[in-house]
Amino acid sequence: MHRNFNHPIFKEEIIMRDLRGLYSALLGSFNEDGSVSEKGLRQIIRHNIDHNKMDGLYVGGSTGENFMLSTDEKKRIFEIAKDEAKDDITLMAQVGSVNLKESIELAKFVEDLGYDAISAVTPFYYKFDFDEVHHYYERILEGVDMRMVIYFIPFLTGVNFSIEQFKTLFENKKIVGVKFTQGDFYLLERMRKTFPDKLIFAGFDEMLLPATVLGIDGAIGSTYNVNAERARQIYDLARAEKISEARAIQHVTNDLITDILDNGLYGTIKLLLEEQGIEAGCCREPMKPYTPEMRTRAKEIYKKYF
Ligand SMILES: CC(=O)N[C@@H]([C@@H](O)[C@H](O)[C@H](O)CO)[C@@H](O)CC(=O)C(=O)O
């Protein structure tokens, strides 16, 4: 798990974790009044380490319902994750925000906590031009000596990059890779060929097999919180070029993902965890509270796939 890096951005040779592998995107866990459930978070983290045997946790991403949280809540979740995980698993903190000052503050905060890497979503809502997006990443990185993985998710942010633009961003040696949540396999192939030394993490769990065939370095996903065993099989089989076996597991996985998406993504994953005895808690409003129908359907999904 640990590798020796002699990276020019770091003052001396230090032991840094190899960032490659499979990460669960850490779910948010909330009480009915919307407050952060520390107990729920700790249980989800332990489940990912002890049961799911994940290589890493992606903390503060979309799955963590992060963009609905205050700065203090984000910090508290980063603290809880580090305190629970210690050094048992690679920790990557998503610090991106449309509030750049907050991103800079969070990056410093997780560096002090001892996170292994940061990630930042492309700034969204306003139609920032590429120079502004570039400036955003440079400013976040100015204050920290940390490795950064760009969080590229155009279907939610509306922000797309060309290969040339990725090249410009990657000129900063602290930017070591990208979380590629995009279904464009032509772009993914071009990225792999153009940037053999950058880390590419697949962000769509339903596309793990083809992304692995194209040579990704890992994957980060919400459904790995519950479907880790199948994800690991797909990843390992695809890397061993056992494609038809991997495809059979991807088919079952995608049936599961379709059922989860139909019933409400993050809520259903939490209800599936509840079936395994984990107090995963609620979603943060304005996401819907669980209805009796949703709970019943989650039980059916659990019986069908687990
Ligand atoms: C928008 C979203 O939730 N995307 C997920 C996927 O894991 C996704 O839930 C899954 O592929 C189902 O579509 C991840 O890419 C997001 C993620 O890792 C994160 O930021 O939490």
Side-chain angles (χ1 to χ4, degrees), residues 160-170 180 186-195:
N160 236 308
F161 296 136
S162 65
I163 290 284
E164 283 311 309
Q165 289 172 331
F166 270 115
K167 213 174 261 176
T168 304
L169 296 171
F170 285 157
F180 188 91
Y186 175 41
L187 180 61
L188 179 57
E189 181 277 333
R190 291 290 82 190
M191 298 273 294
R192 182 66 300 165
K193 173 150 192 292
T194 314
F195 309 113

Side-chain angles (χ1 to χ4, degrees), residues 116-258:
D116 300 291
I118 52 174
S119 179
V121 71
T122 53
F124 49 89
Y125 189 79
Y126 300 101
K127 302 261 176 234
F128 300 107
D129 67 25
F130 179 71
D131 289 342
E132 290 166 332
V133 174
H134 186 200
H135 175 77
Y136 161 92
Y137 283 107
E138 293 294 319
R139 288 283 292 121
I140 296 172
L141 287 167
E142 253 169 42
V144 287
D145 268 348
M146 290 194 84
R147 292 170 288 175
M148 153 82 83
V149 170
I150 290 170
Y151 184 3
F152 177 64
I153 181 162
F155 94 101
L156 289 181
T157 58
V159 181
N160 236 308
F161 296 136
S162 65
I163 290 284
E164 283 311 309
Q165 289 172 331
F166 270 115
K167 213 174 261 176
T168 304
L169 296 171
F170 285 157
E171 275 166 17
N172 187 325
K173 298 291 176 240
K174 293 181 188 175
I175 299 184
V176 297
V178 57
K179 172 158 129 53
F180 188 91
T181 308
Q182 178 32 319
D184 180 345
F185 286 100
Y186 175 41
L187 180 61
L188 179 57
E189 181 277 333
R190 291 290 82 190
M191 298 273 294
R192 182 66 300 165
K193 173 150 192 292
T194 314
F195 309 113
D197 299 328
K198 296 291 179 183
L199 300 174
I200 303 178
F201 295 93
F204 273 132
D205 316 358
E206 45 279 55
M207 299 177 184
L208 179 58
L209 166 57
T212 307
V213 170
L214 283 176
I216 53 166
D217 301 284
I220 300 169
S222 62
T223 64
Y224 305 154
N225 283 279
V226 282
N227 194 43
E229 196 179 326
R230 288 193 189 97
R232 177 71 65 190
Q233 287 169 341
I234 294 167
Y235 189 59
D236 288 349
L237 286 167
R239 290 189 332 148
E241 300 190 0
K242 296 183 177 172
I243 303 304
S244 56
E245 286 168 68
R247 187 167 50 229
I249 303 168
Q250 186 76 69
H251 282 323
V252 179
T253 289
N254 287 6
D255 289 343
L256 166 65
I257 292 176
T258 303

